Amino acid sequence: MTNESAVRYSSSEHVTVAGITFIADLAGALFWTEERLLVVSDLHLEKGSSFAARRVLLPPYDTAATLAKLRAVIARHDPRTVIALGDSFHDRDAHQRLDAADRATLSELQARRDWIWIAGNHDPALPHEIGGTVADEVRMGPLTFRHKPTGAQGEIAGHLHPKARVSRRGRSVERRCFASDGQRAVMPAFGAYTGGLNIRDDAFAAIFQTSAFIAHLLGDRQVHRIAASRCS
């Protein structure tokens, strides 16, 4: 890694859930150093080809871009285990549309590490031929990893694609973010073509019960910690 890329991707920001502290990676992943565990959510691989089948034409490079970003995160942290928190594939047949190069990249990333796919609402029946293991949820110590957030303590989930808008000096910036109150967290979507839901939406109020939680915004060079109540 060059010095430039080290600066670009460095992050001193952390997210703590139920007493467990994770590095908040600028790409939108969490890394549990002691367990060498990397968590990503909502890759939505092959979303572009899914839209193309419905005559909504998008550049067909989303899967390659998402896997390239994932490869960079894995290179930074060298995880022993990777958990993908559901909606890793955009639909039930998306894995069949992976081209040879993307299949090879995915196999390379899975090599020599445990890989766990959590089933999501877009990909509820993941096939074994994609490698790794499939689970509805994973429990480790005080933590539960699942796709849809329920608001339970110790929960790390995805599904909602949180984003936050911050206004300052007449300018408004909207970015993907981690949302957490220290007892539970919702991950940002990792996929190249994924949108987001504003953290001020009622869906987040149902999980956190109050606006007293933190948005960890994915900035250009660092992760910014901002109270959700300050976001618009």
Side-chain angles (χ1 to χ4, degrees), residues 172-199:
S172 180
V173 176
E174 189 172 67
R175 295 295 178 92
R176 302 182 193 193
C177 68
F178 303 94
S180 177
D181 63 357
Q183 292 302 316
R184 54 197 62 77
V186 182
M187 299 274 296
F190 195 87
Y193 281 175
T194 49
L197 181 66
N198 192 290
I199 59 169

Side-chain angles (χ1 to χ4, degrees), residues 9-200:
Y9 290 108
S10 66
S11 174
S12 59
E13 184 63 19
H14 295 80
V15 173
T16 298
V17 180
I20 304 298
T21 298
F22 294 83
I23 294 172
D25 191 282
L26 188 56
L30 291 177
F31 185 64
W32 184 356
T33 304
E34 291 77 11
E35 295 293 332
R36 289 180 57 198
L37 170 67
L38 183 73
V39 189
V40 293
S41 188
D42 294 273
L43 306 179
H44 283 271
L45 300 175
E46 291 302 309
K47 182 174 182 177
S49 62
S50 178
F51 274 56
R54 301 195 299 273
R55 299 184 183 276
V56 179
L57 300 183
L58 297 172
Y61 309 119
D62 58 305
T63 294
T66 300
L67 292 178
K69 184 169 71 165
L70 184 55
R71 172 188 274 159
V73 174
I74 287 174
R76 283 196 288 279
H77 300 290
D78 188 24
R80 181 170 54 218
T81 304
V82 174
I83 297 179
L85 292 181
D87 286 2
S88 299
F89 295 86
H90 189 67
D91 57 60
R92 293 171 181 264
D93 301 321
H95 65 282
Q96 298 176 354
R97 301 195 302 274
L98 290 172
D99 66 24
D102 292 333
R103 286 180 182 275
T105 298
L106 186 56
S107 295
E108 173 194 332
L109 297 180
Q110 292 175 318
R112 299 178 300 281
R113 58 179 51 92
D114 294 328
W115 195 286
I116 304 171
W117 303 101
I118 302 294
N121 56 294
H122 278 257
D123 52 4
L126 289 161
H128 293 293
E129 59 261 32
I130 62 173
T133 60
V134 178
D136 290 328
E137 62 181 37
V138 172
R139 296 186 179 182
M140 295 182 64
L143 303 176
T144 300
F145 301 91
R146 59 169 59 101
H147 180 59
K148 288 187 177 181
T150 66
Q153 288 198 359
E155 176 181 82
I156 297 179
H159 182 59
L160 292 180
H161 301 198
K163 65 178 180 179
R165 182 185 297 114
V166 179
S167 298
R168 185 181 181 187
R169 297 177 182 173
R171 294 185 58 197
S172 180
V173 176
E174 189 172 67
R175 295 295 178 92
R176 302 182 193 193
C177 68
F178 303 94
S180 177
D181 63 357
Q183 292 302 316
R184 54 197 62 77
V186 182
M187 299 274 296
F190 195 87
Y193 281 175
T194 49
L197 181 66
N198 192 290
I199 59 169
R200 302 305 296 271

